[in-house]
């Protein structure tokens, strides 16, 4: 199974020539690809704009890694402070809080590990690379949050039923306030530029914006008119018209970089960081709950049941914030079509390409949040060159849906 | 190969090699690792009652395949798609009202296969038991009973998820879940395994706690509840006794789920014994797992440390029991290469393709398991000249068909 990239790239680029790409760009990009392709990506075919994606991914990975390590160190320090203070004050509550922080650190280290692991080269056993690890890591991390919440509820019940001792409301409030402020700082630090949905429709719109600006004047090419008429019988995505013709043709360097820079703005909190963020968020919500309970018990020392109530209410609230991410994780693990892609439209789009008779066995799924895979079987009308059809389908998928790993089986009637 | 697999688990089909024979050197008949070694009625019970009855002449895949609405054109290897409207998927998997869930429980009771019904019985018993325990605990103020009830409820929740996975995974694939819902079983197995790992960690923490504090709170009243619950759990283990092994070869998607349920119940019963290790009975039970040789040594150390040791032992035992299941289900979820098919067999296929006269090279060969037993692959070929790709495609498909890989997408690029 030799995987020389040159062979594979050559037919793609040659077919792109047919679409009237300026030759200098093609040559430049071909050379660039030959020199710069990292060996880890031999499994996947690479196109020109993917180069930026790869370097961007590694930068993003480094940034996530540094943020996560910072978080871990910070939490370890706070944990040490709490352990020392708790042992001195002989308070069980502080020690349990420290244990809570320990689980947070565990969650962060899992995320850090998956960030590091997703850079590993793909092997024959792991033919898709190790990116899936981050999804599993996120699942484990969120399960830790659930576990901790269950333990907290159990503890609260225990305290209520078993240790009917005097609870120091002031101390509770103080500890909770301390935790609250720490978590608040971290939330602000982590979350100053993130979007709530990892699968946003946002980055699609970003694309559209950019391309509307730059490619209004490209319709002059006759070739593209043909394409446009063939591809889109129904005008659901009129923005995609610009994509369709525009991408292979007029993509200057500046457009590429500006295009690619637009994506991180919405994707900056990748799934690893999002797991960490959820840990901190759950902590924050719990602290608020404990603060309220502490304040109430401070004022009215007999209302111990408030502790249990607050714990229950705020735990449920914290757990509900993890639900969107769990939904995304389950989607990916189940091999579901990503939520921002309508598979019927993909099918129609492919069917609309010249020479395609019908499409079947179409599967679109995600390896991890940003990486999508498509595979399908296409029945071709007689007389059409399969090479050209494959490259057209590939361009369509890459430009419209950002699906980069495509395998198409062409069957002749 | 599923069509051959559906009726005979153990007899070797004369016409084609059993796909799992790719694991060279393992004799099927005497391999005790295979789950279905003894139960003759198993195949009847495993047959999905949703599928319409099959005449022996037609070959119908046992697993519900990913049914796409368009068939493969004739000329390729015969491949049966079946459209069954029995269990039509509701709009989306997310919406699930209370009415739906009640209705669905009845449907499970009516149509579920034997394992599902057993699981349902077990879950309902557990739920009844835990509510009773909770009530009694609250009334009499015994915190031990309440905490026990909570643990039980937590476990019940997980078992319910397994049951839900078993039922929901039989839905046909639709446009959103193009590969169908079978992966839900693997997911539930993974979640169960994860929970069991957490359980083992918490047992270790408890052992440490008991060691440090050195306080043995003898909760005598817990013995009654422990014994009762142990009986329920043992019944569960008996239901799933085919899966009461550590290393199991998973052939069908349900295997993982059943295995996880069995381990869950097993671990629960063992833990229960360990945590109330006051009685000799409990000690003995835990020591059966540890080994009788160690038992005398432990007893000589004095009963004080027995609880710590018990907990520690059980923690280690649960961890080791669960690890294979965790790794296997994790591997499926991670899109790893299928463990059933040896990499040498795959490499051999690749080599055979490359040595075909028209093929230059093979690249991007990726195989992954959708669920245990269903392998999906995709390949990219560089072919020498513009020629009839049907021949090459058929050749490649046949090669992998023998390995048991039916879902293959082959992309041919012409040099």
């Amino acid at each position: 199974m030799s995987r020389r990239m040159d062979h594979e790239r050559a037919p793609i680029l040659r077919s792109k020539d047919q679409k009237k790409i300026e030759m200098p760009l093609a040559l430049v990009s071909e050379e660039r690809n030959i020199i710069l392709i990292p060996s880890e990506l031999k499994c996947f075919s690479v196109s020109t704009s993917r180069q930026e994606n790869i370097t961007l991914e590694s930068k993003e990975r480094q940034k996530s890694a540094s943020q996560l390590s910072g978080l871990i160190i910070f939490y370890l320090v706070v944990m040490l402070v709490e352990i020392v203070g708790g042992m001195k004050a002989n308070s069980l509550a502080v020690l349990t809080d420290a244990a809570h922080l320990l689980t947070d650190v565990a969650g962060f280290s899992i995320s850090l590990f998956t960030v590091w692991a997703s850079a590993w080269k793909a092997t024959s056993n792991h033919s898709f690379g190790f990116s899936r690890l981050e999804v599993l890591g996120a699942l484990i991390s969120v399960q830790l949050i659930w576990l901790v919440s269950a333990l907290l509820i159990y503890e609260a019940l225990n305290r209520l039923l078993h240790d009917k001792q005097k609870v120091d409301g002031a101390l509770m409030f103080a500890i909770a306030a301390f935790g609250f402020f720490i978590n608040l700082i971290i939330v602000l630090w982590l979350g100053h530029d993130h979007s709530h949905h990892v699968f946003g429709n946002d980055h699609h719109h970003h694309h559209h914006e950019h391309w509307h600006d730059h490619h209004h004047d490209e319709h002059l090419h006759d070739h593209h008119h043909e394409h446009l008429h063939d591809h889109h019988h129904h005008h659901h995505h009129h923005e995609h018209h610009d994509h369709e013709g525009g991408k292979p043709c007029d993509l200057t360097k500046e457009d590429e970089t500006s295009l690619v820079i637009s994506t991180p703005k919405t994707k900056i909190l990748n799934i690893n960081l999002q797991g960490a963020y959820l840990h901190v968020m759950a902590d924050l919500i719990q602290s608020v709950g404990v603060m309220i309970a502490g304040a109430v018990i401070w004022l009215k020392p007999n209302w111990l049941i408030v502790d249990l109530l607050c714990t229950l209410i705020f735990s449920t609230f914290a757990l509900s914030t993890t639900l969107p991410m769990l939904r995304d994780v389950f989607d990916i693990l189940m091999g579901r079509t990503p939520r921002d892609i309508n598979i019927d439209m993909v099918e129609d789009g492919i069917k609309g390409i010249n020479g395609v008779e019908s499409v079947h066995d179409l599967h679109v799924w995600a390896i991890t949040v940003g990486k999508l895979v498509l595979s399908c079987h296409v029945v071709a009308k007689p007389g059409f060159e399969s090479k050209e059809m494959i490259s057209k389908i590939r361009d369509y998928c890459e430009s419209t849906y950002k699906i980069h790993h495509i395998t198409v089986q062409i069957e002749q009637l | 190969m599923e069509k051959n697999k559906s009726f005979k688990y153990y007899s070797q089909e004369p016409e084609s090699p059993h796909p799992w024979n790719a694991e060279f050197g393992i004799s099927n008949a005497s391999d005790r690792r295979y789950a279905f070694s003894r139960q003759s009625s198993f195949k009847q019970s495993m047959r999905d009652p949703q599928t319409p009855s099959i005449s022996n002449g037609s070959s119908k895949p046992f697993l519900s395949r990913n049914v796409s609405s368009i068939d493969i054109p004739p000329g390729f290897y015969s491949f049966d798609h079946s459209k069954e409207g029995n269990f039509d998927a509701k709009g989306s998997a997310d919406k699930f009202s209370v009415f739906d869930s009640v209705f669905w429980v009845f449907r499970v009771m009516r149509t579920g296969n034997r394992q599902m019904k057993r699981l349902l019985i077990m879950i309902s018993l557990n739920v009844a038991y835990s509510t009773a325990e909770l009530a009694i605990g609250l009334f009499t103020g015994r915190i031990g009973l309440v905490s026990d009830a909570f643990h039980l409820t937590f476990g019940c929740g997980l078992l319910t998820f397994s049951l839900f996975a078993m039922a929901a995974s039989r839905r046909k694939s639709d446009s959103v879940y193009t590969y169908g819902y079978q992966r839900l079983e693997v997911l539930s197995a993974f979640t169960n395994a994860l929970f069991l790992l957490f359980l083992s960690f918490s047992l270790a923490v408890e052992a440490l706690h008991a060691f440090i504090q050195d306080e043995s709170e003898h909760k005598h009243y817990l013995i009654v509840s422990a014994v009762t619950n142990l009986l329920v759990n043992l019944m569960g283990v008996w239901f799933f006794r085919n899966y009461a092994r550590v290393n199991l070869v998973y052939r069908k998607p349900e295997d993982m789920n059943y295995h996880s349920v069995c381990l869950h119940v097993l671990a629960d019963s063992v833990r229960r014994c360990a945590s109330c290790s006051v009685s000799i009975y409990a000690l003995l039970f835990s020591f059966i797992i540890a080994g009788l040789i160690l038992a005398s040594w432990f007893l000589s150390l004095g009963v004080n440390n027995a609880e710590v040791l018990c907990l520690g032992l059980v923690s280690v035992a649960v961890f080791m029991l669960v690890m294979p299941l965790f790794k296997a289900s994790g591997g499926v979820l991670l899109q790893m290469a299928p463990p059933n098919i040896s990499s040498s067999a795959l490499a051999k296929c690749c080599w055979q393709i490359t040595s075909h006269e028209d093929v230059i090279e093979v690249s991007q060969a990726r195989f992954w398991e959708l669920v245990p037993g269903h392998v999906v692959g995709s390949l990219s070929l560089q072919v020498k000249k513009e020629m009839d790709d049907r021949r090459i495609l058929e050749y490649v498909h046949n090669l992998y068909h023998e390995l048991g890989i039916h879902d293959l997408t082959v992309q041919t690029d012409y040099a």
Side-chain angles (χ1 to χ4, degrees):
Chain A
M1 258 190 282
S2 59
R3 296 187 180 137
R4 294 174 306 226
M5 285 316 299
D6 325 85
H7 258 285
E8 199 170 341
R9 243 179 299 113
I12 297 170
L13 283 176
R14 218 172 294 143
S15 58
K16 277 194 175 175
D17 288 347
Q18 298 168 10
K19 293 190 178 163
K20 297 181 190 166
I21 294 183
E22 301 129 14
M23 284 305 287
L25 178 63
L27 284 178
V28 163
S29 53
E30 188 173 340
E31 283 172 304
R32 208 155 39 119
N33 280 342
I34 292 174
I35 297 173
L36 285 179
I37 283 186
S39 54
E40 66 190 271
L41 293 160
K42 278 190 241 173
C43 277
F44 312 122
S45 66
V46 177
S47 60
T48 37
S49 72
R50 204 87 87 61
Q51 204 50 45
E52 273 80 14
N53 262 352
I54 295 161
T55 48
L56 192 75
E57 266 176 31
S58 58
K59 272 199 210 128
E60 196 181 307
R61 223 177 284 134
Q62 277 178 347
K63 182 164 186 226
S64 313
S66 60
Q67 276 188 316
L68 281 170
S69 339
L71 269 178
I72 291 179
I73 294 176
F74 184 67
Y75 263 66
L76 278 175
V77 165
V78 172
M79 197 172 80
L80 257 119
V81 165
E82 277 201 352
I83 288 180
V84 166
M87 297 233 271
K88 280 228 175 105
N90 208 7
S91 155
L92 191 62
V94 179
L95 286 175
T96 45
D97 204 37
H100 191 166
L101 284 181
L102 187 64
T103 56
D104 280 344
V105 169
F108 296 153
S109 2
I110 291 177
S111 301
L112 185 62
F113 171 71
T114 57
V115 165
W116 175 63
S118 53
W120 290 345
K121 302 181 196 180
T123 67
S124 65
N125 245 349
H126 299 259
S127 49
F128 287 101
F130 290 87
S131 313
R132 244 319 151 87
L133 261 182
E134 25 180 66
V135 177
L136 272 188
L139 180 65
I140 297 179
S141 192
V142 170
Q143 294 291 65
L144 273 176
I145 299 180
W146 279 66
L147 185 74
V148 162
S149 303
L151 280 176
L152 279 180
I153 295 178
Y154 170 68
E155 272 277 335
L157 208 65
N158 209 2
R159 276 202 296 266
L160 187 68
L161 289 177
H162 199 48
D163 312 324
K164 291 242 200 262
Q165 59 196 18
K166 196 92 164 52
V167 178
D168 190 354
L171 185 63
M172 244 171 95
F173 186 80
I175 298 168
F178 174 62
F180 176 73
F181 279 122
I182 300 238
N183 285 320
L184 195 66
I185 293 171
I186 296 193
V187 162
L188 290 175
W189 175 55
L190 264 186
H192 58 268
D193 46 357
H194 90 284
S195 67
H196 278 282
H197 300 289
V198 184
F199 272 129
N201 278 325
D202 306 339
H203 67 269
H204 270 272
H205 296 313
H206 271 265
H207 285 207
H208 297 178
E209 267 168 39
H210 274 274
W211 282 347
H212 268 293
D213 294 339
H214 295 290
H215 296 290
H216 266 302
D217 48 342
E218 52 80 16
H219 289 286
L220 306 173
H221 290 267
D222 314 330
H223 206 64
H224 297 281
H225 268 295
E226 215 179 87
H227 276 236
L228 293 172
H229 289 313
D230 285 339
H231 290 194
H232 297 284
H233 309 291
H234 27 250
H235 298 268
H236 288 299
H237 292 271
H238 62 278
E239 304 95 67
H240 291 178
H241 274 270
D242 297 331
H243 282 222
E244 196 57 53
K247 188 183 184 283
C249 183
D250 275 351
L251 212 49
T252 62
K253 269 259 235 6
E254 180 215 300
D255 295 343
E256 269 188 26
T257 49
S258 62
L259 162 71
V260 151
I261 281 174
S262 73
T263 43
K265 236 190 223 122
T266 49
K267 256 177 69 171
I268 197 151
L269 211 56
N270 64 28
I271 198 165
N272 303 304
L273 277 180
Q274 188 143 29
Y277 183 78
L278 278 176
H279 267 276
V280 180
M281 203 60 193
D283 245 353
L284 192 71
I285 295 173
Q286 300 280 16
S287 310
V288 169
V290 177
M291 263 168 64
I292 293 178
V296 168
I297 291 182
W298 196 4
L299 295 174
K300 295 252 183 184
N302 284 332
W303 289 4
L304 288 177
I305 196 135
V306 164
D307 189 16
L308 179 64
L309 279 176
C310 273
T311 313
L312 276 174
I313 294 173
F314 283 89
S315 294
T316 343
F317 187 42
L319 289 181
S320 66
T321 59
T322 66
L323 286 180
M325 164 125 143
L326 267 185
R327 194 190 59 169
D328 286 338
V329 163
F330 276 171
D331 283 348
I332 296 181
L333 288 178
M334 283 284 293
R336 187 194 201 277
T337 316
R339 274 174 204 266
D340 50 356
I341 291 184
N342 185 346
I343 206 165
D344 294 320
M345 238 161 336
V346 177
E347 196 176 320
D348 290 336
I350 295 181
K351 270 202 216 164
I353 291 179
N354 237 349
V356 171
E357 168 80 32
S358 66
V359 180
H360 61 89
D361 264 359
L362 177 65
H363 297 287
V364 182
W365 49 280
I367 299 179
T368 176
V369 169
K371 301 191 185 161
L372 303 174
V373 177
L374 182 146
S375 75
C376 63
H377 295 214
V378 164
V379 178
K381 292 186 194 144
F384 280 91
E385 209 187 285
S386 64
K387 192 165 48 168
E388 188 181 323
M389 273 171 54
I390 291 181
S391 61
K392 277 192 215 170
I393 296 178
R394 186 183 298 258
D395 287 334
Y396 170 66
C397 294
E398 275 185 7
S399 58
T400 323
Y401 301 106
K402 294 282 281 173
I403 305 175
H404 292 288
H405 305 149
I406 300 169
T407 314
V408 176
Q409 174 170 303
I410 307 261
E411 301 158 5
Q412 310 279 357
L413 266 179
Chain B
M1 283 299 129
E2 284 92 12
K3 42 196 173 204
N4 293 326
K5 202 169 54 145
S6 57
F7 299 111
K8 312 172 199 169
Y9 279 108
Y10 253 36
S11 55
Q12 303 262 358
E13 282 83 54
E15 66 272 25
S16 52
H18 202 283
W20 316 122
N21 271 342
E23 203 74 51
F24 302 119
I26 296 179
S27 59
N28 289 347
S30 58
D31 197 335
R32 291 181 48 85
R33 291 182 302 146
Y34 288 160
F36 315 107
S37 50
R38 280 171 302 220
Q39 220 176 351
S40 60
S41 63
F42 209 78
K43 35 184 197 285
Q44 256 73 45
S45 65
M46 290 302 282
R47 191 201 308 203
D48 190 343
Q50 295 297 95
T51 65
S53 57
I54 304 153
S55 65
N56 274 333
S58 77
S59 47
K60 188 214 155 287
F62 182 63
L63 292 176
S64 54
R65 306 302 310 273
N66 52 325
V67 181
S68 52
S69 53
I70 310 169
D71 287 320
I72 285 184
F76 279 79
Y77 58 92
S78 64
F79 193 89
D80 286 4
H81 288 283
S82 55
K83 281 184 165 222
E84 289 133 13
N86 292 352
F87 209 143
D88 35 74
K90 304 178 196 129
S92 78
D94 301 327
K95 308 195 273 278
F96 219 11
S97 68
V98 176
F99 174 71
D100 275 343
S101 52
V102 169
F103 188 61
W104 173 84
V105 164
F106 280 119
R107 196 194 285 182
V108 162
M109 287 194 330
R110 253 187 314 121
T111 63
N113 61 13
R114 197 199 280 186
Q115 302 288 51
M116 277 171 62
K117 285 188 187 135
R118 286 168 167 179
L119 190 54
L120 190 63
I121 294 172
M122 231 172 55
I123 291 178
S124 40
L125 270 176
N126 270 331
V127 165
Y129 185 73
S130 83
T131 39
E133 210 177 0
L134 186 67
I136 295 177
L138 280 177
F139 277 148
T140 57
R142 313 267 195 176
I143 185 64
L145 283 176
V146 174
S147 71
D148 214 33
F150 264 113
H151 277 130
L152 200 53
T153 320
F154 206 46
C156 265
L158 219 61
L159 286 178
T160 318
F161 181 56
S162 289
L163 183 65
F164 168 73
M166 275 187 225
S169 69
R170 289 190 291 169
R171 276 198 206 172
K172 296 298 151 211
S173 61
D174 50 26
S175 71
V176 173
Y177 287 90
T178 50
Y179 281 115
Y181 290 82
Q182 289 187 318
R183 240 184 185 199
L184 211 51
E185 309 235 18
V186 181
L187 209 62
S188 97
F190 185 73
T191 322
N192 265 329
L194 201 60
F195 170 71
L196 285 174
L197 282 179
F198 285 160
L199 184 73
S200 85
F201 284 146
S202 86
L203 282 177
V205 165
E206 232 180 280
L208 206 64
H209 188 77
F211 185 64
I212 294 178
Q213 287 211 330
D214 205 28
E215 141 217 339
S216 46
E217 207 180 302
H218 294 266
K219 306 187 181 117
H220 294 274
Y221 54 87
L222 276 182
I223 292 182
V224 176
S225 80
V227 170
T228 327
N229 207 20
L230 180 65
L231 286 176
V232 174
N233 279 339
L234 281 181
M235 185 180 76
V237 173
W238 174 252
F239 281 163
F240 288 93
R241 62 188 175 282
N242 280 326
Y243 295 92
R245 288 186 223 285
V246 181
N247 272 306
L248 200 56
V249 174
Y250 305 107
R251 287 216 226 134
K252 293 158 57 243
E254 299 96 71
D255 289 352
M256 276 192 177
N257 212 359
Y258 296 149
H259 192 204
S260 74
V261 168
C262 182
L263 282 183
H264 179 108
V265 167
L266 198 63
D268 221 11
S269 51
V270 170
R271 174 191 70 88
R272 195 161 297 281
C273 293
S275 62
C276 69
S277 65
V278 183
S279 69
I280 297 294
Y281 153 77
L283 275 176
L284 270 181
F285 190 88
S286 309
F287 289 151
I288 285 171
I289 298 183
L292 287 168
I293 304 172
L294 292 169
S296 49
W297 180 56
F298 286 154
L299 281 172
S300 72
L301 280 180
V303 192
N304 269 343
N305 286 324
E307 181 168 2
V308 175
L309 286 167
C310 266
L311 283 174
L313 266 172
V314 170
S315 150
V316 168
V318 169
F319 187 80
M320 309 225 33
L321 276 180
V322 174
M323 246 325 169
L325 174 67
F326 184 70
K327 278 198 225 163
S329 55
V332 173
L333 290 178
L334 276 180
Q335 318 284 85
M336 271 177 59
N340 293 320
I341 303 179
S342 70
S343 54
S344 59
L346 285 175
K348 191 174 112 180
C349 273
C350 268
W351 180 80
Q352 275 182 310
I353 296 176
T354 328
S355 62
H356 188 86
E357 54 199 4
D358 295 316
V359 176
I360 301 177
E361 69 163 318
V362 175
S363 60
Q364 293 190 21
R366 304 190 204 128
F367 298 95
W368 51 282
E369 269 191 326
L370 177 68
V371 279
H374 185 176
V375 181
V376 178
S378 74
L379 277 192
S380 181
L381 298 178
Q382 277 281 316
V383 185
K384 268 186 199 154
K385 56 186 186 294
E386 187 84 35
M387 44 87 54
D388 183 18
D389 26 331
R390 179 183 292 215
R391 229 169 18 98
I392 287 196
L393 280 180
E394 272 187 4
Y395 178 65
V396 172
H397 275 279
N398 279 331
L399 267 184
Y400 282 104
H401 197 73
E402 284 171 22
L403 278 187
I405 302 174
H406 306 293
D407 277 335
L408 193 62
T409 309
V410 179
Q411 176 169 309
T412 48
D413 287 323
Y414 294 100

